[in-house]
Amino acid sequence: MSYRTIIAVINEHSSSTVTARYAIALAASCKVRLVLYAAHAEGTSEAILHHTEQHQDHLFTAALDQDIPVTRITEVGLITRLLPKRVLAEEGDLVFYPLLPDERYGATLQQNTVHHLLRSIKADLAILRIMHMGKPHPRHILVPLGGVTSDPEQRVAFLAALGKCFHAQVTLFHRSTGHQQRLPEDFNTIRTALLHHHLHVLERSANGPIAKAIALEAISHHHDLIVVGASERSILKRLFFGNPSGDLMHRPPCNVILFRAAPERP
Protein backbone atom coordinates (compact mmCIF):
# COMPACT_ATOMS: atom_id res chain seq x y z
CA MET A 1 0.00 0.00 0.00
CA SER A 2 1.28 3.45 -0.92
CA TYR A 3 -0.32 6.85 -0.42
CA ARG A 4 -1.54 8.91 -3.37
CA THR A 5 -3.19 11.99 -1.82
CA ILE A 6 -2.45 13.41 1.64
CA ILE A 7 -4.82 15.93 3.23
CA ALA A 8 -3.63 18.27 5.99
CA VAL A 9 -6.23 20.14 8.05
CA ILE A 10 -5.26 23.78 8.69
CA ASN A 11 -6.76 26.14 11.26
CA GLU A 12 -5.85 29.37 13.05
CA HIS A 13 -3.61 27.64 15.60
CA SER A 14 0.14 27.47 15.00
CA SER A 15 0.09 23.78 15.95
CA SER A 16 -1.72 23.06 12.67
CA THR A 17 1.30 24.38 10.75
CA VAL A 18 3.56 21.85 12.50
CA THR A 19 1.06 19.12 11.66
CA ALA A 20 1.09 20.26 8.03
CA ARG A 21 4.89 20.18 8.02
CA TYR A 22 4.69 16.44 8.75
CA ALA A 23 2.28 16.11 5.82
CA ILE A 24 4.53 18.16 3.52
CA ALA A 25 7.58 16.06 4.41
CA LEU A 26 5.65 12.86 3.77
CA ALA A 27 4.22 14.14 0.48
CA ALA A 28 7.69 15.16 -0.72
CA SER A 29 9.21 11.81 0.28
CA CYS A 30 6.41 9.70 -1.23
CA LYS A 31 6.07 12.01 -4.27
CA VAL A 32 2.31 12.33 -3.87
CA ARG A 33 -0.33 15.06 -4.04
CA LEU A 34 -1.06 17.29 -1.04
CA VAL A 35 -4.29 19.10 -0.11
CA LEU A 36 -4.21 21.94 2.45
CA TYR A 37 -7.75 21.99 3.82
CA ALA A 38 -9.61 24.44 6.07
CA ALA A 39 -13.26 24.55 7.13
CA HIS A 40 -14.88 27.48 8.94
CA ALA A 41 -18.21 27.59 10.70
CA GLU A 42 -20.51 30.40 9.57
CA GLY A 43 -19.87 33.60 11.50
CA THR A 44 -16.19 32.86 12.17
CA SER A 45 -14.36 36.06 13.13
CA GLU A 46 -12.20 37.90 10.63
CA ALA A 47 -9.15 37.46 12.88
CA ILE A 48 -9.46 33.66 12.79
CA LEU A 49 -10.04 33.66 9.03
CA HIS A 50 -6.96 35.85 8.55
CA HIS A 51 -4.69 33.64 10.68
CA THR A 52 -5.87 30.49 8.88
CA GLU A 53 -5.35 32.08 5.47
CA GLN A 54 -1.85 33.18 6.44
CA HIS A 55 -1.01 29.63 7.49
CA GLN A 56 -2.35 28.24 4.23
CA ASP A 57 -0.36 30.80 2.20
CA HIS A 58 2.87 29.95 3.98
CA LEU A 59 2.38 26.18 3.73
CA PHE A 60 1.29 26.36 0.08
CA THR A 61 4.52 28.18 -0.77
CA ALA A 62 6.58 25.69 1.25
CA ALA A 63 5.00 22.78 -0.66
CA LEU A 64 5.56 24.43 -4.06
CA ASP A 65 9.21 25.02 -3.15
CA GLN A 66 9.55 21.23 -2.80
CA ASP A 67 7.82 20.57 -6.14
CA ILE A 68 4.83 18.96 -4.43
CA PRO A 69 1.56 18.95 -6.41
CA VAL A 70 -0.48 20.98 -3.90
CA THR A 71 -4.07 22.23 -3.71
CA ARG A 72 -5.59 24.58 -1.14
CA ILE A 73 -9.27 24.30 -0.27
CA THR A 74 -11.39 26.37 2.13
CA GLU A 75 -15.04 25.58 2.86
CA VAL A 76 -17.72 27.10 5.07
CA GLY A 77 -19.61 24.80 7.43
CA LEU A 78 -19.01 22.14 10.06
CA ILE A 79 -15.77 20.25 9.54
CA THR A 80 -17.38 17.07 10.88
CA ARG A 81 -19.75 17.12 7.87
CA LEU A 82 -17.51 18.63 5.23
CA LEU A 83 -14.18 16.86 5.73
CA PRO A 84 -15.39 13.24 5.26
CA LYS A 85 -17.04 14.29 1.96
CA ARG A 86 -13.92 16.18 0.87
CA VAL A 87 -11.73 13.14 1.61
CA LEU A 88 -13.87 11.08 -0.75
CA ALA A 89 -14.00 13.80 -3.40
CA GLU A 90 -10.23 14.26 -3.41
CA GLU A 91 -9.61 10.50 -3.12
CA GLY A 92 -7.51 11.15 -0.03
CA ASP A 93 -5.98 8.11 1.64
CA LEU A 94 -4.21 9.83 4.56
CA VAL A 95 -5.54 12.75 6.64
CA PHE A 96 -3.50 14.76 9.16
CA TYR A 97 -5.69 16.38 11.82
CA PRO A 98 -4.31 18.66 14.59
CA LEU A 99 -6.11 18.44 17.92
CA LEU A 100 -7.39 21.81 19.11
CA PRO A 101 -5.92 23.06 22.41
CA ASP A 102 -9.13 22.31 24.33
CA GLU A 103 -9.93 19.09 22.45
CA ARG A 104 -9.31 15.75 24.16
CA TYR A 105 -9.17 12.41 22.46
CA GLY A 106 -10.72 9.77 24.70
CA ALA A 107 -13.14 12.14 26.47
CA THR A 108 -15.88 10.22 28.27
CA LEU A 109 -18.78 11.46 26.11
CA GLN A 110 -16.83 11.01 22.85
CA GLN A 111 -18.41 14.13 21.33
CA ASN A 112 -15.33 16.14 20.34
CA THR A 113 -14.67 16.81 16.66
CA VAL A 114 -11.92 14.21 16.64
CA HIS A 115 -14.34 11.45 17.66
CA HIS A 116 -16.77 12.34 14.87
CA LEU A 117 -13.90 12.24 12.36
CA LEU A 118 -12.68 8.89 13.69
CA ARG A 119 -16.11 7.46 12.98
CA SER A 120 -16.68 9.06 9.57
CA ILE A 121 -13.41 9.43 7.63
CA LYS A 122 -12.76 6.56 5.22
CA ALA A 123 -8.99 7.02 5.04
CA ASP A 124 -5.97 6.55 7.26
CA LEU A 125 -6.15 9.21 9.97
CA ALA A 126 -3.17 10.72 11.80
CA ILE A 127 -4.30 12.82 14.78
CA LEU A 128 -1.59 15.02 16.24
CA ARG A 129 -1.03 16.61 19.63
CA ILE A 130 1.76 19.14 19.14
CA MET A 131 3.83 19.92 22.22
CA HIS A 132 7.04 21.24 20.65
CA MET A 133 6.62 23.74 17.83
CA GLY A 134 10.29 23.65 16.88
CA LYS A 135 10.56 19.92 16.09
CA PRO A 136 8.76 19.24 12.81
CA HIS A 137 11.44 16.72 11.73
CA PRO A 138 11.62 13.87 14.27
CA ARG A 139 14.75 11.75 14.44
CA HIS A 140 13.71 9.30 17.20
CA ILE A 141 10.23 7.77 16.88
CA LEU A 142 8.77 5.74 19.76
CA VAL A 143 6.11 3.16 18.85
CA PRO A 144 4.31 1.50 21.79
CA LEU A 145 2.76 -1.89 21.01
CA GLY A 146 0.44 -3.89 23.22
CA GLY A 147 -1.78 -6.91 22.74
CA VAL A 148 -2.97 -7.44 19.18
CA THR A 149 -2.31 -4.61 16.69
CA SER A 150 -5.28 -3.89 14.46
CA ASP A 151 -4.44 -3.47 10.76
CA PRO A 152 -0.70 -4.15 11.19
CA GLU A 153 0.02 -3.80 7.46
CA GLN A 154 -1.37 -0.25 7.35
CA ARG A 155 0.41 0.63 10.60
CA VAL A 156 3.70 -0.62 9.15
CA ALA A 157 3.14 1.29 5.90
CA PHE A 158 2.58 4.54 7.82
CA LEU A 159 5.56 3.97 10.14
CA ALA A 160 7.80 3.06 7.22
CA ALA A 161 6.79 6.22 5.33
CA LEU A 162 7.49 8.36 8.42
CA GLY A 163 10.79 6.67 9.19
CA LYS A 164 12.07 6.98 5.64
CA CYS A 165 11.07 10.60 5.07
CA PHE A 166 12.67 11.77 8.34
CA HIS A 167 15.59 9.28 8.27
CA ALA A 168 14.47 8.43 11.79
CA GLN A 169 15.28 5.63 14.21
CA VAL A 170 12.20 3.64 15.27
CA THR A 171 11.99 2.15 18.76
CA LEU A 172 9.32 -0.49 19.36
CA PHE A 173 8.21 -0.39 22.99
CA HIS A 174 6.19 -2.86 25.04
CA ARG A 175 5.35 -3.46 28.67
CA SER A 176 7.02 -6.28 30.53
CA THR A 177 4.73 -8.62 32.47
CA GLY A 178 6.12 -10.83 35.23
CA HIS A 179 9.50 -12.59 35.20
CA GLN A 180 8.93 -14.24 31.83
CA GLN A 181 8.75 -11.48 29.26
CA ARG A 182 6.00 -11.99 26.69
CA LEU A 183 6.06 -9.97 23.51
CA PRO A 184 2.81 -8.56 22.11
CA GLU A 185 1.33 -10.91 19.52
CA ASP A 186 2.21 -8.78 16.48
CA PHE A 187 5.54 -7.44 17.78
CA ASN A 188 7.82 -9.68 15.72
CA THR A 189 5.68 -9.25 12.60
CA ILE A 190 5.89 -5.46 12.80
CA ARG A 191 9.61 -5.48 13.63
CA THR A 192 10.40 -7.78 10.71
CA ALA A 193 8.30 -5.68 8.33
CA LEU A 194 10.01 -2.44 9.38
CA LEU A 195 13.45 -4.03 8.98
CA HIS A 196 12.37 -5.11 5.50
CA HIS A 197 11.90 -1.38 4.77
CA HIS A 198 15.56 -0.85 5.79
CA LEU A 199 14.72 1.17 8.89
CA HIS A 200 16.89 1.31 12.01
CA VAL A 201 14.71 -0.50 14.57
CA LEU A 202 15.37 -0.83 18.31
CA GLU A 203 13.41 -2.66 21.03
CA ARG A 204 12.66 -1.43 24.55
CA SER A 205 10.43 -2.58 27.41
CA ALA A 206 9.44 -1.41 30.89
CA ASN A 207 7.19 -2.29 33.81
CA GLY A 208 4.33 -0.35 35.36
CA PRO A 209 1.28 1.54 34.08
CA ILE A 210 1.63 1.72 30.32
CA ALA A 211 0.95 5.45 29.76
CA LYS A 212 3.46 6.42 32.45
CA ALA A 213 6.01 3.91 31.15
CA ILE A 214 5.72 5.34 27.62
CA ALA A 215 6.18 8.90 28.88
CA LEU A 216 9.24 7.96 30.94
CA GLU A 217 10.74 6.09 28.00
CA ALA A 218 10.21 9.09 25.70
CA ILE A 219 11.80 11.51 28.17
CA SER A 220 14.75 9.35 29.23
CA HIS A 221 15.74 8.39 25.67
CA HIS A 222 15.02 11.75 24.02
CA HIS A 223 12.31 10.67 21.61
CA ASP A 224 10.76 13.56 19.69
CA LEU A 225 7.69 11.74 18.31
CA ILE A 226 5.43 8.99 19.67
CA VAL A 227 3.10 7.05 17.36
CA VAL A 228 0.27 5.21 19.12
CA GLY A 229 -2.77 3.32 17.89
CA ALA A 230 -6.36 4.36 18.49
CA SER A 231 -7.98 2.66 21.47
CA GLU A 232 -10.33 -0.21 20.63
CA ARG A 233 -11.74 -0.49 24.14
CA SER A 234 -15.44 0.12 24.64
CA ILE A 235 -16.63 3.03 26.77
CA LEU A 236 -17.34 0.57 29.61
CA LYS A 237 -13.83 -0.93 29.42
CA ARG A 238 -12.29 2.54 29.37
CA LEU A 239 -14.19 3.43 32.53
CA PHE A 240 -12.87 0.35 34.36
CA PHE A 241 -9.44 -0.14 32.79
CA GLY A 242 -8.55 3.31 31.52
CA ASN A 243 -7.47 4.56 28.10
CA PRO A 244 -3.64 4.71 27.78
CA SER A 245 -3.76 6.34 24.34
CA GLY A 246 -6.16 8.99 25.60
CA ASP A 247 -4.03 9.67 28.68
CA LEU A 248 -0.90 9.96 26.58
CA MET A 249 -2.56 12.28 24.04
CA HIS A 250 -3.79 14.52 26.87
CA ARG A 251 -0.40 15.17 28.50
CA PRO A 252 2.35 13.88 26.21
CA PRO A 253 6.08 14.46 26.82
CA CYS A 254 6.62 15.25 23.11
CA ASN A 255 4.67 15.40 19.87
CA VAL A 256 2.28 12.46 19.45
CA ILE A 257 0.51 10.94 16.47
CA LEU A 258 -2.50 8.75 17.10
CA PHE A 259 -2.85 6.57 13.99
CA ARG A 260 -6.10 4.92 12.96
CA ALA A 261 -6.07 2.83 9.79
CA ALA A 262 -8.83 3.34 7.25
CA PRO A 263 -11.87 1.17 8.05
CA GLU A 264 -12.24 0.56 4.33
CA ARG A 265 -10.42 1.73 1.25
CA PRO A 266 -12.17 4.06 -1.24
Side-chain angles (χ1 to χ4, degrees), residues 192-220:
T192 301
L194 291 175
L195 289 172
H196 182 72
H197 284 281
H198 307 291
L199 294 177
H200 184 197
V201 181
L202 300 179
E203 175 188 339
R204 295 279 300 172
S205 64
N207 296 308
I210 186 61
K212 184 177 180 180
I214 294 168
L216 289 174
E217 174 68 21
I219 293 169
S220 61

Side-chain angles (χ1 to χ4, degrees), residues 12-261:
E12 74 276 18
H13 299 285
S14 297
S15 59
S16 73
T17 66
V18 180
T19 297
R21 286 289 183 176
Y22 283 97
I24 288 172
L26 210 56
S29 176
C30 299
K31 296 179 171 53
V32 299
R33 177 170 172 256
L34 175 69
V35 177
L36 301 173
Y37 178 82
H40 303 294
E42 292 187 17
T44 299
S45 72
E46 288 296 326
I48 290 177
L49 294 176
H50 177 67
H51 283 303
T52 304
E53 186 176 7
Q54 279 189 319
H55 291 161
Q56 276 189 308
D57 288 343
H58 174 72
L59 294 163
F60 187 81
T61 301
L64 285 179
D65 288 344
Q66 297 188 51
D67 297 321
I68 298 171
V70 58
T71 303
R72 54 182 294 171
I73 297 173
T74 301
E75 297 185 300
V76 178
L78 295 175
I79 191 172
T80 51
R81 295 180 181 176
L82 294 173
L83 182 55
K85 295 178 182 178
R86 180 56 56 184
V87 170
L88 293 176
E90 301 297 325
E91 297 184 342
D93 38 26
L94 174 61
V95 178
F96 280 83
Y97 173 77
L99 282 175
L100 299 175
D102 60 349
E103 190 173 18
R104 180 171 181 180
Y105 166 76
T108 304
L109 296 179
Q110 304 282 290
Q111 293 301 313
N112 287 320
T113 298
V114 63
H115 300 115
H116 290 284
L117 298 179
L118 278 164
R119 293 190 290 265
S120 59
I121 287 182
K122 305 300 183 183
D124 286 359
L125 183 56
I127 299 162
L128 281 90
R129 174 72 77 191
I130 301 300
M131 298 300 293
H132 299 295
M133 304 296 291
K135 292 189 175 181
H137 300 288
R139 292 292 183 263
H140 300 277
I141 301 174
L142 181 64
V143 182
L145 297 174
V148 178
T149 302
S150 62
D151 303 299
E153 291 184 4
Q154 287 165 263
R155 180 87 68 94
V156 165
F158 179 71
L159 290 171
L162 275 182
K164 286 180 179 180
C165 87
F166 292 120
H167 305 286
Q169 171 185 286
V170 176
T171 299
L172 300 180
F173 179 81
H174 61 94
R175 180 170 56 180
S176 300
T177 54
H179 297 293
Q180 292 187 341
Q181 186 172 327
R182 291 184 59 189
L183 292 174
E185 186 171 326
D186 294 314
F187 189 94
N188 287 326
T189 300
I190 291 174
R191 179 176 56 188
T192 301
L194 291 175
L195 289 172
H196 182 72
H197 284 281
H198 307 291
L199 294 177
H200 184 197
V201 181
L202 300 179
E203 175 188 339
R204 295 279 300 172
S205 64
N207 296 308
I210 186 61
K212 184 177 180 180
I214 294 168
L216 289 174
E217 174 68 21
I219 293 169
S220 61
H221 288 84
H222 309 291
H223 293 283
D224 40 23
L225 177 65
I226 302 172
V227 181
V228 297
S231 174
E232 297 189 5
R233 292 178 176 177
S234 66
I235 293 177
L236 187 61
K237 283 188 176 181
R238 283 195 294 270
L239 287 173
F240 282 98
F241 302 108
N243 181 359
S245 294
D247 294 341
L248 190 64
M249 291 289 285
H250 185 48
R251 291 191 180 91
C254 60
N255 295 346
V256 181
I257 293 177
L258 183 134
F259 178 78
R260 188 229 59 193

